Amino acid sequence: MTGAAPVPAQFFDGHSARRHAVLVSPTRDGSGLMIERAERGGTAEIWPLDRLRRLADTAGRGELILTRLAETEDESPRDVARLVLSDPGLIGWVTQNAPGLDRRDTRQGTARRIVTRLALAVAAILVMLFVILPRMSDFMAERLPLETEQRFGRAVVDQMQRFLGARDGQNLTCEAPEGVAALNRMVARLSEGRDLAYPLQVGVLNHRMVNAFAAPGGHVMLVRGLLDQAESPEEVAAVLAHEIGHVEARDSTRLMLRAAGSAGIVSIVLGDVSGGTLVAIAGEYLLQSAYTREAEAGADRFALEMLNAAGVSSQGMADFFLRIGGKSESSIPEYLSSHPSSAARAGRAAENAQARPGSEPVLTEDEWRDLRAICDGFSVAP
Amino acid sequence: MSQGNGTVRYDGERGALFKLAMKTGLLTVVTLGIYRFWAKTRIRKYVWSAASLDGDRFEYTGTGLEKLLGFLIAVVFLAIYLGIVQLLLTFVGLGFSLEPQSQWEVIAQILSIYISFFAIVPFLFFATYRAQRYKLARTRFRGIRFGMDNAAGGYVWRAIVHWILTILTLGILLPRQTFWLGKYMTDRSHYGDARFEQGGRWQDLYGAMKHVFIAIVILVLAAVAGGVLNSGVLAAVLGVVGYIWLIVGFVAYGVQSWAYMTSNMTLDGKVGFIATPATGQVLKRFILGGLIVGLIAAVGFAALAAIFAGTMQMAAYGMGPGIATIVVMAVAYLLLIVALGALSLVFITQPITAYLCERLEVQNVRALDAVHQRAADKGADAEGFADALDMGGAF
């Protein structure tokens, strides 16, 4: 190919928008392209082969658009001039002989720039998610008027009833008088001599699910399945103490505020591309469970302290976690789950119980029977 | 090229673009979305280079890397801003929580929900302008850069005022908005050292809106038929016709207002443009492409659903779907999504782009020879805000 006759091509010098007709040929020594202006008095220049770069991902078959590697202020280190070749022979020669035609030529320090920028972004987001949002939501939760929180709590309890399958207006609360008396007795025993931030409103919902939850504003709801599964009043007392812990720490209000703040962040960061949505959901879940795990551990500590102060054995807590945990415990590792592992919690409770012998039953046999019968005759979720 | 007119052509090919879109789409999935900046850049390089004026191809010089870096800046900014706004609003919203006690609380509650949307509206306009500026700054023709002034702030408040006016007048002032916002951008756009200028009058855009008005008349008639004449059938028929007409009307407005704005644009007062697209031709390509993509989507999703139902059946007999099955299903689903994205690019976006190019002519194209280069634009956030807010169309 070297020594071949020059072929016509088009050239843009990058200074003006004028199209220049040029004649292009390989230089004699084959180390570059000789570009001669076809117009009268035109100049000639040589583009060395090793600095030739082609425009990538372009349409237009049978065309090769060339530029040169050059240190510029532009987004990529490329010369402003363009050479458009359409002669198949010359295109073939260039593609075979130009060594760096498709090289990307990143500028020096690019990797460092990416890493710094990425680190800054990640740090800013983490600080936002784990320092600023939690602080702000805690601050706000503490300043929410009690009345507002209680009203919101009632709405949450209603929502929960609907979730359990209550039809419009159906009330799932169990109110057998003897049962209610027994429950109040248990609450009184646990909170005796304590200055609680909220007047507690404890109730039982008629559904076979084994569960209990604390809603904002001092609401604690036990679900009937829990009473059915519990083998002693101490087990129920342990759950109750745990939920009272959530109430005292204003966990549900705080967590809700945090969730509101972080919801948008995760989806913005991960984008909304096909795979990204799944990742966003997973990220949101991980984040929430990190918040929740912390709250659960706090409620556990509070419960043990409360049981100890009331002279109730925490062996009930250990038994309950072991039995319920053994059934539902999946292979989810602790850091993925919103609750600490049941075995670990049971272990802590048993240890606490052994250190404190001489406890008194939280309810009498009769009261325990009444409590378990609190839902007898009340409407049940369909 | 008679009378010095230059023709615009688009010669992108289905196969090449589909291959590129599939390849970059798959890489995007594999990299959990990070490659999307490079994917978009590569698609743009192809589409830009397929368009040519007077035989010379356009060039897109953006890089995926600068888009990623710009995105990182925007994300940090937005995350902090939105996180705090959202939290404050929830706090305020809680005060009037789920059981509003008075009319005022209902209004306040609704407001607190909508404010969180309005909180990002300024950013949407900001991102619109910045994205347009970035795209122009990365477009070259005959080696000469396009560019746009750094004036996103002025665009934001103008856009907000225009939108409020348009909404308050129930859309009657939409042409005014389209015209002035378009003019704001065009008057700040450059090709090399030459400046674009938007001419024309906003009142002229009402012509482009005529099908929207016809649709509204039909919908009003439907309401009359239902409410006054008590004819349910007539109301339903008119309602459906009016609804479809309205959609077509908005497409027509989009196409014809673009044509008007383009035809009244000049470059340095010397170079003019003539755009003569027919709405029917755009619709035809849209419907045809939509049918093809829709058909393939239907077949694909049906096949996936059948496989899914099959595995569920097995699960009912105690053979739970193994991890392998679930992974295969997820991969098949993602592949289908990527393929559908690539197909709509090839069968809908590209044909319409090609048609719009075909119906565009540039007058006095020789005057371009006198245009000189402009300085490079650093492009700070490289439309990162638009990416973070998930705006922007096919490319």
Side-chain angles (χ1 to χ4, degrees), chain A residues 233-317:
Chain A
E234 279 71 26
E235 296 186 7
V236 178
V239 173
L240 199 55
H242 174 93
E243 298 305 330
I244 294 174
H246 280 313
V247 166
E248 283 296 292
R250 299 190 159 203
D251 280 335
S252 43
T253 314
R254 284 191 305 128
L255 292 183
M256 204 198 50
L257 284 171
R258 280 189 205 187
S262 64
I265 297 183
V266 175
S267 64
I268 280 191
V269 174
L270 293 165
D272 208 13
V273 277
S274 37
T277 314
L278 293 175
V279 184
I281 294 170
E284 185 69 26
Y285 175 77
L286 275 181
L287 194 62
Q288 283 312 314
S289 47
Y291 285 160
T292 326
R293 223 171 27 247
E294 192 189 302
E296 291 301 326
D300 273 359
R301 274 194 304 277
F302 180 92
L304 283 180
E305 194 268 317
M306 185 175 230
L307 292 174
N308 291 344
V312 177
S313 167
S314 62
Q315 187 57 43
M317 188 189 248

Side-chain angles (χ1 to χ4, degrees), chain A residues 59 61 74-75 82 272, chain B residues 13 42 49 59 61 145 390:
Chain A
R61 278 165 198 264
D74 270 315
E75 51 277 8
R82 300 287 184 268
D272 208 13
Chain B
E13 292 166 34
R42 294 184 65 181
S49 73
E59 180 187 346
T61 57
R145 301 181 187 94
D390 235 346

Side-chain angles (χ1 to χ4, degrees), chain B residues 312-381:
Chain B
M312 283 296 111
Q313 198 101 46
M314 276 156 66
Y317 292 118
M319 299 158 65
I323 285 288
T325 324
I326 294 172
V327 168
V328 169
M329 293 286 297
V331 168
Y333 173 79
L334 290 176
L335 275 179
L336 187 59
I337 296 286
V338 170
L340 290 177
L343 286 170
S344 40
L345 194 59
V346 166
F347 284 110
I348 303 175
T349 317
Q350 180 164 258
I352 292 176
T353 309
Y355 175 72
L356 293 179
C357 287
E358 223 174 86
R359 305 298 302 172
L360 183 62
E361 221 178 311
V362 180
Q363 296 169 306
N364 191 17
V365 73
R366 264 174 222 146
L368 291 178
D369 285 0
V371 173
H372 283 82
Q373 186 64 289
R374 62 187 283 103
D377 180 346
K378 289 256 181 231
D381 65 288

Side-chain angles (χ1 to χ4, degrees), chain A residues 107-176:
Chain A
R107 288 204 174 92
Q108 213 169 9
T110 300
R112 208 187 53 230
R113 223 151 58 94
I114 300 174
V115 171
T116 345
R117 202 72 80 82
L118 205 63
L120 279 177
V122 170
I125 302 281
L126 289 183
V127 165
M128 186 68 197
L129 286 178
F130 292 103
V131 181
I132 299 177
L133 281 183
R135 291 269 165 83
M136 280 182 72
S137 51
D138 291 358
F139 179 86
M140 289 177 181
E142 273 159 35
R143 269 147 198 82
L144 208 59
L146 182 66
E147 211 179 302
T148 308
E149 223 179 329
Q150 282 174 333
R151 194 138 47 82
F152 181 58
R154 269 198 301 280
V156 171
V157 172
D158 286 348
Q159 191 64 41
M160 198 64 199
Q161 296 208 31
R162 241 165 283 151
F163 173 74
L164 288 177
R167 292 196 199 89
D168 274 343
Q170 190 186 11
N171 191 354
L172 294 180
T173 330
C174 301
E175 283 163 334

Side-chain angles (χ1 to χ4, degrees), chain A residues 11-21 37 39, chain B residues 1 4 6 53-54 56 141-144 191-194 267-268 270-271 362-373:
Chain A
F11 183 76
F12 303 103
D13 61 12
H15 300 299
S16 92
R18 243 181 97 186
R19 185 199 302 131
H20 298 279
R37 301 271 171 102
E39 60 234 56
Chain B
M1 272 205 269
L53 165 60
D54 204 21
D56 299 320
F141 175 68
R142 293 185 177 170
I144 301 296
Y191 171 58
D193 58 358
L267 180 64
D268 248 10
K270 293 180 197 124
V271 181
V362 180
Q363 296 169 306
N364 191 17
V365 73
R366 264 174 222 146
L368 291 178
D369 285 0
V371 173
H372 283 82
Q373 186 64 289

